[in-house]
């Protein structure tokens, strides 16, 4: 398995060309290059970079801020600086912020290759337990939403600014991206947090049952309605209701939902009494709501009521930089829950996780980590324990 190295070149073209040429000779390295910070950030977000080798003078950015940003984007990447006019204070400042090493240019190429090999070795066991805990604690985890990538920072900012506002929010995104987590965070960080948070999976009931779930029913309203039942809206009074899989609500029920959203009132199925409620409505779906509206499968007036604010949760492949943090988080969580003693994950295994496209998003990653932890015979997750998930080929279990 190759190590991906990102080289951020400086002014001294000749010197950097020599360095790149020498790195390219090393068969175990794959070299990416950038000559400005923006390109470097982009590559760090999208490629499974292991090591960054950077000139200390990058155009238009302060190198310490550059280093800090790399560490935010990818806490697991080791950064080595090379500087034309190196001095001790620069080196100390960089090391204090977590740089792996610091050398003067021109650099002895044999020495540089040795430094890089050492940095790779350090990464071989990426997350020793202590390191793991430190990193997870530092995580920007608003309501357990793990992630420091740009797109996730945007989500946590949105969530924290919206939580306190009493607006309806439509949460969309592919399966397993964390929509329910976002709904939880919105409720538990709101002024309603001490009041009920009621979830309804609208796809789980057929039409009649869904209406009775949502609005309740009176005795005798239909065969089998032997007792009066309070609906989820009533139960969520003063709190929040999360209408999950909202795209699956049939049109006839949509009319009733619209009335609740507009008038804040409804009647139980089979009842005459009008019930007033004060409930914040969050809705979630992995469907394309605009398309449903276009196809007249979803009422546009209801769509606009639900979608006062829209949060689109990004897919995992759009924020691969979060994978190491999520993996650490799940390892810690499962060590606690299941009494496993996994210390970390081998570099090659992490590389497999970084290269995979994750159609099932964070849920799939969590399953992959859990199954690898259950299969692991030592205290490290090795590639052989991940094969089934990453290649989708269960036969590979037989080679364990
Ligand atoms: N950012 C995250 N940090 C930590 N755990 C996460 C994150 N995102 C998702 N998860 C975990 O992944 C799993 C799936 O998340 P969730 O149920 O919120 O996804 P979803 O978008 O509602 O999926 P679906 O569309 O299938 O209902 C959960 O166990 C959740 O805790
Ligand atoms: Mg969900």
């Amino acid at each position: 398995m190759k190590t991906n190295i990102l080289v951020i070149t400086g002014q001294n073209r000749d010197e950097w060309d020599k360095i790149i040429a020498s790195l390219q000779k090393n068969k175990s390295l794959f070299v990416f290059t950038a000559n400005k910070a923006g390109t470097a950030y982009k590559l760090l977000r999208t490629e499974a970079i292991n090591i960054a080798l950077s000139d200390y003078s990058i155009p238009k950015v302060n190198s310490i801020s550059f280093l800090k940003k790399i560490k935010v984007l990818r806490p697991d990447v080791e950064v080595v600086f090379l500087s034309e006019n190196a001095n001790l204070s620069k080196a100390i400042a960089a090391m204090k912020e977590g740089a792996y090493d610091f050398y003067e240019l021109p650099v002895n190429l044999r020495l540089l290759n040795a430094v890089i090999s050492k940095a790779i070795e350090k990464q071989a066991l990426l997350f020793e337990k202590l390191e793991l805990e430190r990193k997870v604690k530092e995580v920007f985890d608003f309501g357990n939403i793990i992630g420091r990538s740009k797109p996730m920072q945007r989500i946590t900012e949105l969530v924290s600014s919206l939580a306190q506002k009493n607006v309806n929010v439509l949460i969309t995104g592919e399966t397993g991206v964390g929509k329910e987590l976002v709904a939880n965070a919105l409720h538990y960080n709101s002024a309603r947090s001490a009041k009920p948070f009621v979830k309804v999976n609208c796809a789980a009931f057929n039409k009649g049952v869904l209406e009775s779930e949502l609005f309740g029913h009176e005795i005798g309203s239909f065969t089998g309605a032997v007792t009066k039942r309070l609906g989820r809206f009533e139960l969520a009074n003063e709190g929040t209701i999360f209408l999950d899989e909202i795209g699956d609500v049939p049109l006839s029920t949509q009319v009733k939902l619209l009335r609740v959203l507009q008038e804040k009132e409804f009647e139980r199925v089979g009842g005459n009494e009008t019930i007033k409620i004060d409930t914040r409505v969050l809705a979630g779906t992995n469907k394309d709501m605009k398309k449903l509206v276009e196809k007249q499968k979803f009422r546009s007036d209801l769509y606009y009521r639900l979608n006062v604010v829209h949060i689109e949760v990004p897919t995992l492949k759009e924020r691969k930089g979060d994978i190491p943090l999520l993996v650490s988080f799940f390892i810690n969580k499962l060590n606690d829950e299941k009494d496993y003693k996994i210390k970390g994950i081998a570099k090659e295994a992490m590389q497999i996780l970084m290269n995979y496209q994750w159609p099932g998003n964070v849920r799939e990653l969590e399953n992959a980590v859990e199954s690898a932890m259950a299969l692991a015979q030592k205290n490290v997750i090795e590639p052989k324990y991940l094969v089934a998930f990453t290649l989708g080929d269960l036969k590979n279990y037989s080679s364990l």
Side-chain angles (χ1 to χ4, degrees), residues 144-146 152 174-181 245 286 319 326 329-330 362-363 366:
N144 293 330
I145 305 174
I146 306 294
M152 274 326 270
E174 281 181 12
T175 180
V177 288
K179 296 185 290 296
E180 188 165 336
L181 220 54
E245 316 295 354
N286 53 22
R319 53 184 187 102
L326 283 161
F329 174 76
F330 292 136
V362 184
R363 181 180 295 112
E366 186 171 5

Side-chain angles (χ1 to χ4, degrees), residues 2 12 46 68-69 85 107 118 126 145 147 174 191 204 206 218 229 237 239 289 336 384:
K2 288 205 176 196
N12 190 338
T46 53
K68 281 188 183 163
K69 174 118 189 221
N85 26 41
V107 68
K118 267 223 193 104
L126 258 179
I145 305 174
E174 281 181 12
N206 65 32
E218 300 290 347
R229 175 167 190 208
N237 194 21
M289 292 298 287
D336 285 349
K384 61 181 169 189

